[in-house]
Amino acid sequence: MKLTRRSFLKASAATGALAALSGGVMSFERWAAKAAETGEVKLIPSICEMCGTKCGIIVKVKNGRVVKIEGNKEHPNGKGKICARGNAGMKLLYDPDRLKQPLKKEGDRFVPISWEQAFREIGEKLKDIKAKYGPEALVWSTHPELAYDYEVIFNQAFGSPNLSAHAPTCYSPRNVAYKTMYGEVPTVDYGNVKYYISCGRNLVEGINVSQVTGIMKAKEKGAKLIALDPRYSNFAALASEWVPIRPGTDLAFLLAMIHLIIKNEWYDKEFVKNYTIGFEEVAAEVEKYTPKWAEEITGIPAATIERITEEFAKAKPAAVVDPGWHTSRYMNSTEMVRAGAVINALMGNLGMKGGLKFSKYNFTKVEEREGLWPKLEKPKAKRFDGAGGEKWPLAKGLGMIQMLPEHILSGQPYPIKAYIVNHHNPVRSAGNSQKWIEALKKLELLVVIDVQMSETAMMAHYVLPESTYLERFDPPQIAGNAVALRQPAVKPLHNTMGVDDIIKELAHEAGIGQYFNFTLEQFSDQMLKPFNVTFKQLVEKGVIALDDGKTEYKVPEIKTESGKIELASTAFEKAGAKKVPTWVPPGVTEGNGKLRFLHGHTAVHTHTSTFNNEYLHALMPENVLWINTRTAEKLGIKNGDLVEVKSDYGKVTEAIHPDAVFMVHGFGGFSPYQKKAYKKGASTSFIIPCHVEPVSGASADCEVLVEVRKVGGGANA
């Protein structure tokens, strides 16, 4: 039988009806009885989606039920190991609270509707909004996953420039700094590094399994690891030395390092001469940034800065300042990453063993996939947030999604009336939850695509349930020296769809279906063209290596305009900064009873997406506030006391700088549809305002001062 769009939708609806009649998922007792009869086990290679790292997994399936998830040794991400979140993936699949069918809000409640009705009504509303206000009235935000190119095509075909990732609340400073200076974003040869400095990057809790494994191997071989962090994190505990720096002053520490490296000629002269431009301008700028100057700002003794810098330089080229990941913290975060990039260049570590490295392989670009769709035209309107424009030239492609509420409410620079959110929960992850809630109520159309009923989904007019990563195909992935495929381990348990099909159906109903007349296999084969690999081969093997895995250490091609690492860059001047890294103070200053509010990740949860997971909830059901022992003593606060910072229980510890308090991000959910996570712990999103860091457009999430007091008495701070 030929599968048409209409028959596909009817089949999906029938599947949902059957699931409803049978009580949804087969009961464990029925499954166990059947499994005991046959004991058949299937091993399905796939890709995890419990965080953004996308490690390779092997899914064990017994009689149609996932019984275990293990690491895939053939996959470069993880290399056979998975973290707690990866192990808990089956509890996402079998979560009784997950979304099971399309929903439409009628009054103050959600009612189930068919996929056909959902697509038809959303498509009609999108066409009406486009006719009244123009295509730019649509904003689409996402946590970019493997089907991101589908979102690019949809938005360009619709005519909207307003596609935004979660980058400004995570990695915009890193990407802007390194893409401008190096041409692309490198990673670290973690397993061979000899001296490693982390500026607040917590490798052990913001887990990337292969990177953690690598840094552990390096430590076993004698590498020195420096944790430059106001908090004694789990990585600081692993490190050789914890440097408890004043929050927001890492930049001063790094500038003093550059001063010492150049003054003492500890840099790689040949590398600087052959592969960089702007050295003289950097040297002139950093002459004033002495260790004594940095001591006054950072609180770290000048002698410590001098010792660490000398040790670091002696280890070159296997000496690295980590480019970072979650770098959206302070108003000077881009300058801080730039300074680290200068240090890495001075060490001559690019392409060297134990240094920085670029990705070796890349898929074809969207515009290069000839014949699958008509030529895409660049949207005529400017972005709502100004990204890529005169004021924010370096934020192009990253955007400033944290500022969307302000633009919805003001109607400037033009009306925003429709918002589609995929795999993203901005009400909780972009700060200033109150303003998000206020703004989203003003929209004519809000559509949320998700696996769970998030806080953003609670505000939606339509909620479209995505199949979990264990139930769907996605386009291929490049991981190190291999390509890999996410594929279903089991059939969808409920009336859900993969996001690729959701986007295609939305496109057809919105009048741009001609851009989506291709199959996932055709789309994937076009991506894989450079590697002589096909979608069918990946279905069979799961992971295919593209080379023998042996690293050839050499300086790679540098894809900047000059063909060299640009230590001095006019692009930064055009963005309002100096050509070279310079001292910029953080946006707020602690004191007068005010403490800086810091937040970060934990190894057992991801953003706001895993707190309803039964296994992970059991490991960490809620969060606490960290406050320094001396600060707490002044306030009369002890371990376990309830404190007010819109937080919950306090943890009195020496492991946090006395000028700051810290809380794990993601708790304090207020969606009653997620029963385990509901009202557990405290939310950072009600404390963090919507900032815009001046160069990258990032959300400077740690530029907030708070007062802390013990509930039921105690002094204010």
Side-chain angles (χ1 to χ4, degrees):
M1 182 185 77
K2 184 179 179 182
L3 185 63
T4 64
R5 289 180 56 242
R6 187 166 295 279
S7 62
F8 169 72
L9 292 173
K10 285 183 177 178
S12 298
T15 302
L18 181 63
L21 288 171
S22 64
V25 185
M26 182 189 294
S27 71
F28 181 80
E29 291 76 14
R30 287 173 59 202
W31 168 81
K34 188 175 180 181
E37 294 173 8
T38 64
E40 181 186 2
V41 176
K42 293 181 180 179
L43 303 179
I44 313 294
S46 192
I47 300 169
C48 184
E49 196 181 57
M50 293 299 287
C51 79
T53 302
K54 302 177 182 65
C55 292
I57 53 175
I58 300 292
V59 186
K60 291 190 174 183
V61 180
K62 207 170 190 178
N63 290 98
R65 187 180 181 96
V66 175
V67 294
K68 192 175 183 184
I69 299 174
E70 297 179 343
N72 185 346
K73 293 179 181 179
E74 304 300 317
H75 195 288
N77 290 0
K79 298 178 182 177
K81 298 180 176 65
I82 53 174
C83 68
R85 294 170 293 186
N87 273 291
M90 59 186 291
K91 283 300 180 181
L92 172 66
L93 174 66
Y94 298 118
D95 186 346
D97 294 341
R98 62 175 281 202
L99 292 165
K100 301 177 178 69
Q101 57 204 333
L103 300 172
K104 177 183 179 180
K105 183 171 279 185
E106 292 187 355
D108 59 355
R109 67 191 185 97
F110 286 97
V111 297
I113 59 173
S114 69
W115 280 106
E116 280 187 302
Q117 180 184 347
F119 290 136
R120 183 180 67 252
E121 292 183 6
I122 294 168
E124 288 172 356
K125 290 177 185 291
L126 284 172
K127 286 188 284 190
D128 287 345
I129 288 169
K130 185 176 183 178
K132 289 180 184 177
Y133 307 103
E136 64 272 18
L138 169 66
V139 174
W140 185 303
S141 76
T142 183
H143 185 289
E145 297 298 331
L146 296 175
Y148 179 70
D149 285 351
Y150 278 65
E151 298 172 292
V152 172
I153 297 165
F154 184 99
N155 280 269
Q156 286 197 33
F158 191 79
S160 173
N162 295 319
L163 172 60
S164 291
H166 83 304
T169 58
C170 189
Y171 50 77
S172 285
R174 177 200 66 181
N175 282 28
V176 163
Y178 273 94
K179 283 190 175 182
T180 305
M181 296 173 67
Y182 281 60
E184 55 187 291
V185 179
T187 186
V188 178
D189 183 16
Y190 287 98
N192 294 305
V193 72
K194 293 181 180 178
Y195 208 106
Y196 171 84
I197 296 177
S198 165
C199 296
R201 180 158 188 213
N202 186 355
L203 278 172
V204 184
E205 292 183 272
I207 285 184
N208 178 310
V209 174
S210 60
Q211 294 180 1
V212 173
T213 303
I215 205 71
M216 290 295 293
K217 286 181 179 178
K219 187 180 181 185
E220 289 170 6
K221 291 188 289 187
K224 186 158 186 179
L225 314 179
I226 302 293
L228 203 64
D229 200 320
R231 182 174 72 102
Y232 190 67
S233 66
N234 282 359
F235 175 72
L238 167 71
S240 314
E241 185 173 347
W242 174 43
V243 182
I245 194 166
R246 184 172 290 126
T249 66
D250 302 49
L251 171 60
F253 189 101
L254 298 181
L255 289 171
M257 285 187 68
I258 299 171
H259 168 94
L260 288 166
I261 290 167
I262 293 176
K263 178 183 177 182
N264 294 291
E265 299 187 359
W266 290 337
Y267 56 93
D268 185 326
K269 295 182 178 65
E270 283 301 307
F271 185 92
V272 168
K273 177 184 175 181
N274 295 328
Y275 297 105
T276 75
I277 60 171
F279 174 79
E280 291 78 9
E281 289 164 281
V282 170
E285 174 64 30
V286 300
E287 192 173 347
K288 59 194 173 189
Y289 300 133
T290 65
K292 192 64 180 174
W293 166 84
E295 177 180 340
E296 295 298 315
I297 294 170
T298 64
I300 306 303
T304 301
I305 299 172
E306 291 166 358
R307 172 180 56 79
I308 288 174
T309 305
E310 185 172 7
E311 292 172 352
F312 180 83
K314 285 179 179 178
K316 67 177 181 295
V320 175
V321 176
D322 197 302
W325 193 304
H326 179 203
T327 49
S328 298
R329 297 193 188 105
Y330 306 103
M331 287 296 190
N332 61 14
S333 285
T334 300
E335 290 297 308
M336 184 271 289
V337 181
R338 290 177 70 192
V342 168
I343 292 173
N344 286 326
L346 294 178
M347 294 299 99
N349 66 25
L350 181 61
M352 298 295 105
K353 187 175 182 178
L356 297 181
K357 57 183 179 178
F358 289 153
S359 176
K360 190 174 180 180
Y361 298 104
N362 293 288
F363 289 128
T364 57
K365 296 178 180 178
V366 171
E367 56 268 25
E368 295 171 347
R369 295 171 205 166
E370 297 175 358
L372 290 185
W373 52 78
K375 184 179 179 180
L376 291 162
E377 301 295 334
K378 184 179 179 181
K380 295 178 181 178
K382 302 291 186 183
R383 289 181 58 100
F384 79 89
D385 53 15
E390 186 176 336
K391 187 175 181 181
W392 308 102
L394 300 181
K396 182 181 180 181
L398 298 170
M400 294 171 276
I401 194 63
Q402 75 273 24
M403 301 308 293
L404 179 60
E406 178 180 310
H407 290 279
I408 292 174
L409 293 170
S410 70
Q412 298 298 322
Y414 44 72
I416 294 169
K417 297 296 181 180
Y419 183 26
I420 298 178
V421 186
N422 176 34
H423 207 85
H424 190 207
N425 187 15
V427 168
R428 293 276 316 288
S429 62
N432 204 341
S433 292
Q434 302 95 320
K435 199 165 188 177
W436 274 94
I437 292 168
E438 179 188 356
L440 295 185
K441 289 177 180 178
K442 304 291 185 182
L443 294 171
E444 293 183 16
L445 177 65
L446 174 59
V447 179
V448 172
I449 304 166
D450 210 328
V451 175
Q452 303 179 81
M453 183 65 93
S454 68
E455 288 77 8
T456 305
M458 285 174 60
M459 305 292 300
H461 300 106
Y462 296 89
V463 181
L464 305 181
E466 183 188 24
S467 300
T468 69
Y469 70 97
L470 296 169
E471 303 167 296
R472 70 174 196 261
F473 279 106
D474 274 336
Q477 168 206 33
I478 288 179
N481 70 318
V483 286
L485 186 70
R486 175 175 291 141
Q487 56 185 315
V490 294
K491 294 179 179 179
L493 304 181
H494 307 290
N495 188 16
T496 61
M497 282 190 191
V499 74
D500 60 318
D501 284 320
I502 292 174
I503 293 172
K504 286 172 70 173
E505 295 303 322
L506 284 175
H508 281 286
E509 295 296 342
I512 52 173
Q514 69 271 28
Y515 292 90
F516 286 91
N517 289 326
F518 54 80
T519 65
L520 179 64
E521 181 175 349
Q522 291 171 325
F523 186 82
S524 300
D525 282 343
Q526 285 279 33
M527 295 174 68
L528 293 162
K529 258 188 173 182
F531 314 128
N532 197 28
V533 172
T534 67
F535 181 79
K536 285 181 179 177
Q537 290 172 326
L538 277 179
V539 170
E540 181 183 346
K541 297 183 179 180
V543 181
I544 296 177
L546 301 174
D547 59 39
D548 60 9
K550 294 179 181 178
T551 303
E552 181 184 3
Y553 291 106
K554 64 177 184 179
V555 181
E557 179 186 1
I558 300 168
K559 298 177 182 178
T560 58
E561 188 175 329
S562 64
K564 296 186 176 184
I565 297 172
E566 298 185 354
L567 305 182
S569 170
T570 56
F572 285 111
E573 274 192 320
K574 292 175 182 176
K578 282 190 175 183
K579 286 179 70 175
V580 297
T582 187
W583 170 244
V584 175
V588 296
T589 305
E590 311 84 359
N592 297 321
K594 300 282 187 177
L595 301 171
R596 186 181 294 271
F597 182 76
L598 306 177
H599 73 280
H601 300 301
T602 173
V604 298
H605 284 296
T606 300
H607 302 307
T608 66
S609 66
T610 60
F611 295 91
N612 209 60
N613 185 291
E614 184 177 352
Y615 286 167
L616 302 178
H617 177 83
L619 289 173
M620 189 176 184
E622 50 190 322
N623 54 354
V624 297
L625 183 80
W626 291 38
I627 186 168
N628 183 271
T629 306
R630 284 164 285 168
T631 308
E633 187 177 344
K634 293 177 185 176
L635 303 174
I637 294 171
K638 303 185 296 296
N639 268 323
D641 281 350
L642 189 68
V643 298
E644 275 190 357
V645 186
K646 302 219 181 197
S647 111
D648 215 330
Y649 293 98
K651 176 180 179 178
V652 177
T653 173
E654 287 287 344
I656 182 76
H657 195 283
D659 290 346
V661 291
F662 171 87
M663 199 159 66
V664 170
H665 166 70
F667 286 93
F670 52 91
S671 171
Y673 299 92
Q674 297 185 50
K675 298 182 181 65
K676 293 182 184 66
Y678 185 53
K679 292 186 177 180
K680 290 295 178 67
S683 173
T684 61
S685 58
F686 282 96
I687 296 173
I688 299 168
C690 289
H691 286 304
V692 180
E693 189 252 281
V695 179
S696 70
S699 177
D701 286 347
C702 294
E703 296 285 20
V704 55
L705 300 179
V706 297
E707 294 182 350
V708 179
R709 78 175 182 89
K710 180 178 176 180
V711 172
N716 284 347

